[in-house]
Amino acid sequence: MSSRSHHCGRFRPAPLTRRGMLRQAGCGFGGVAAAALLHREAARAGADMASALHHAATASSVIFLYMDGGVSQVDSFDPKPRLKRDAGKDPRSLFKVDATQFNNVGKVLPSPWKFKPYGQSGIPVSDLFPHIGGVADELAVIRSMTSEFPEHTNANYFLHTGSGLQGRPSMGAWTTYGLGSENDDLPGYVVVNGGLIPPGGLDNFTNGFLPATYQGSVIKPTAVGLANVTPREKSPALQLAKLDLARRLDRGFADRLATTAAAPDSLESAIANQELAWRMQAEVPSLLDLAGETAATKRAYGMESDFEATKIFAAECLLARRMVERGVRFVELTCPKTGGDRWDQHRNLRKGHEDNARAVDQPIAALIRDLRDRGLLATTLVVWCGEFGRTPFAQGNDGRDHNPQAFSLWLAGGGVKGGTIVGTTDDYGYRVVEKKFMIHDLHATMLHLMGIDHMRLTYRFSGRDMRLTDVYGHVIKDVLA
């Protein structure tokens, strides 16, 4: 039998790598480089970038306030008087109760906090968030969000990457992949670690299959904030010599691999990240130095609070504003430690939620006012969200279990219609009954406000064009101004 292949031959040979193409292009390399530089300078100068977007953008930056653990919707932004009327009853006698994370189903549990309307819009907010209530007219509250996952790790991956599985690119990575950064001396995607990295770890902020340059850079809200940001060499010349040697070695290796069409992205990204790290040594210390902020500003954010967690989150929010001012594209803030658990109150609901709310309420309200007063809120999308909600009945006696079937979040600024409530849950806040949304819809809406059509932002991987929203997602038009 002949060993000759009987392949039809209808295939393309291996394509040229980017580096190989530019080598063959000769003088065209200079034109490509010049065009890139001119494009970047035009962006810095505020030139019209509409041609780089799918449609006109209303937001140029995102601040994502991640409420780790799952805030209870019926104790925050979705009041349910029926819970008080049916307090102490077996929920299974009132509605169908699905399996929960721990299946320790207690009695119907009314909210320990009162709600009242705020602002001209009259949006009801619980006593947990009096400061955020003060900026209610800036908020578009979505009461009908759902998740596909009832436990933290997979729900966190779903919230951050649009997939419940580990390894997909995060929403911050997708955003910077689509839009780049406005500041060459800072990463386009920054995660400010207040002390609690969410279940699922750093893969919540990963670049996944996107080039490694789009991975989130994690810093702390402290004076140092980032390891090795201060050069250890005795002179700038010595450091530059070391960096130049590393760059030449990496470049030479990459050039050799390019001839075999096998140059790894990780190597190219390492070169780019080393160059960025060098530039960050001048930019990051000034970014983290809050000495130039007025005493009134620091006080408004809560940096003089007697609760340490409030001071930490205040520093996070203030840094987020400073990053947006400097052109960082996507900033995510994680929760500080409050002495107990994150928002995941399976027991002791009152103390746990009160401590977590005390940590974030004042800083978040101050951030929104500060952005508004500086003219930044109009172009900065602020998103407040956790990975799921909580049950309207108790877990045991005084906690609430996970509820992915309905939870609340809100957006502000960046083209959002403030003073708006979207979606409805049932009388118990257990299930969505009107305008049911999923995380893909949130992602589609965020990208839309940034000028990106979520269906057109793709990356070829594993034989298909991948998206943040996979094959799902619709823009939530009710929140658009």
Side-chain angles (χ1 to χ4, degrees):
M1 183 175 179
S2 173
S3 62
R4 182 178 178 180
S5 171
H6 292 283
H7 195 285
C8 67
R10 293 179 182 176
F11 62 91
R12 295 179 180 178
L16 282 173
T17 64
R18 178 181 59 185
R19 185 177 303 281
M21 182 276 292
L22 292 175
R23 178 182 288 117
Q24 292 188 17
C27 294
F29 179 83
V32 171
L37 287 171
L38 289 171
H39 181 78
R40 187 175 65 196
E41 293 303 319
R44 283 208 199 110
D48 182 12
M49 296 296 293
S51 60
L53 302 174
H54 297 144
H55 53 262
T58 53
S60 58
S61 298
V62 175
I63 298 176
F64 193 87
L65 307 169
Y66 172 56
M67 298 295 106
D68 186 358
V71 183
S72 170
Q73 69 280 5
V74 298
D75 297 308
S76 55
F77 295 97
D78 193 5
K80 294 298 174 182
R82 184 70 180 267
L83 295 178
K84 186 174 183 180
R85 189 198 318 173
D86 291 338
K89 294 182 179 180
D90 184 346
R92 287 164 291 206
S93 69
L94 303 170
F95 50 83
K96 181 180 182 297
V97 175
D98 294 336
T100 63
Q101 181 75 7
F102 293 96
N103 274 334
N104 182 11
V105 178
K107 306 300 183 182
V108 171
L109 180 65
S111 177
W113 299 279
K114 294 181 179 179
F115 284 76
K116 67 178 181 180
Y118 281 88
Q120 294 181 350
S121 59
I123 291 179
V125 181
S126 85
D127 290 343
L128 279 174
F129 301 107
H131 293 281
I132 293 177
V135 294
D137 287 339
E138 303 289 354
L139 311 182
V141 178
I142 298 175
R143 291 177 171 172
S144 52
M145 186 55 64
T146 64
S147 177
E148 293 182 3
F149 300 91
E151 60 84 33
H152 295 291
T153 297
N154 295 100
N156 279 328
Y157 289 149
F158 190 45
L159 171 63
H160 284 88
T161 74
S163 170
L165 301 178
Q166 185 178 25
R168 292 286 293 272
S170 66
M171 53 186 165
W174 277 109
T175 302
T176 50
Y177 164 67
L179 296 174
S181 178
E182 294 182 342
N183 190 326
D184 289 337
D185 300 329
L186 288 172
Y189 174 24
V190 177
V191 178
V192 185
N193 177 17
L196 292 175
I197 293 294
L202 296 178
D203 276 336
N204 286 292
F205 319 125
T206 184
N207 58 291
F209 48 71
L210 294 177
T213 47
Y214 300 115
Q215 179 170 297
S217 296
V218 182
I219 69 171
K220 295 180 180 179
T222 61
V224 177
L226 191 65
N228 302 316
V229 73
T230 302
R232 297 182 179 181
E233 290 78 12
K234 294 181 179 180
S235 69
L238 179 58
Q239 184 193 30
L240 285 172
K242 289 182 178 180
L243 292 172
D244 183 60
L245 174 61
R247 185 163 41 246
R248 285 188 285 112
L249 290 172
D250 287 341
R251 184 61 63 197
F253 185 47
D255 286 342
R256 291 196 300 275
L257 287 179
T259 62
T260 64
D265 162 69
S266 57
L267 185 56
E268 293 287 353
S269 295
I271 296 171
N273 287 340
Q274 287 171 5
E275 293 170 349
L276 173 61
W278 178 72
R279 297 192 299 271
M280 286 171 63
Q281 292 180 52
E283 186 74 12
V284 169
S286 63
L287 168 69
L288 298 175
D289 184 3
L290 305 182
E293 301 289 341
T294 67
T297 296
K298 294 177 182 178
R299 188 164 50 251
Y301 274 83
M303 295 191 70
E304 297 180 0
S305 173
D306 57 0
F307 190 41
E308 183 64 23
T310 303
K311 291 193 288 187
I312 292 172
F313 203 74
E316 290 186 69
C317 287
L318 191 48
L319 281 175
R321 190 218 77 205
R322 291 169 65 86
M323 289 183 197
V324 167
E325 286 179 315
R326 287 162 170 78
V328 175
R329 187 71 68 187
F330 197 105
V331 183
E332 177 167 346
L333 310 186
T334 71
C335 290
K337 297 178 181 179
T338 61
D341 202 352
R342 52 200 86 210
W343 288 97
D344 191 29
Q345 270 69 68
H346 291 276
R347 61 183 180 85
N348 206 353
L349 173 70
R350 180 186 286 273
K351 182 175 185 341
H353 263 41
E354 284 181 349
D355 285 348
N356 281 287
R358 183 183 177 192
V360 304
D361 180 38
Q362 179 181 350
I364 290 173
L367 171 64
I368 292 176
R369 290 193 179 96
D370 199 10
L371 290 170
R372 184 181 61 196
D373 293 346
R374 294 171 184 265
L376 293 170
L377 187 60
T379 57
T380 303
L381 175 62
V382 182
V383 182
W384 182 96
C385 188
E387 66 267 42
F388 43 53
R390 309 204 78 81
T391 57
F393 47 84
Q395 176 182 340
N397 296 318
D398 61 352
R400 296 193 192 275
D401 210 335
H402 306 168
N403 180 25
Q405 302 177 91
F407 64 100
S408 298
L409 62 95
W410 55 257
L411 303 89
V416 167
K417 182 165 59 178
T420 303
I421 298 174
V422 180
T424 306
T425 56
D426 61 29
D427 289 344
Y428 299 93
Y430 189 42
R431 289 186 175 88
V432 174
V433 296
E434 182 183 358
K435 296 187 177 180
K436 181 178 180 178
F437 299 116
M438 57 196 306
I439 294 299
H440 298 301
D441 300 322
L442 173 63
H443 291 159
T445 304
M446 293 169 63
L447 291 175
H448 175 85
L449 292 167
M450 300 286 286
I452 298 175
D453 181 344
H454 72 102
M455 297 181 69
R456 296 166 62 188
L457 181 66
T458 63
Y459 188 87
R460 193 72 176 176
F461 176 74
S462 192
R464 60 174 286 211
D465 292 330
M466 308 295 282
R467 292 171 17 198
L468 171 61
T469 53
D470 197 18
V471 296
Y472 309 99
H474 299 88
V475 174
I476 305 173
K477 296 182 179 179
D478 291 334
V479 304
L480 305 182

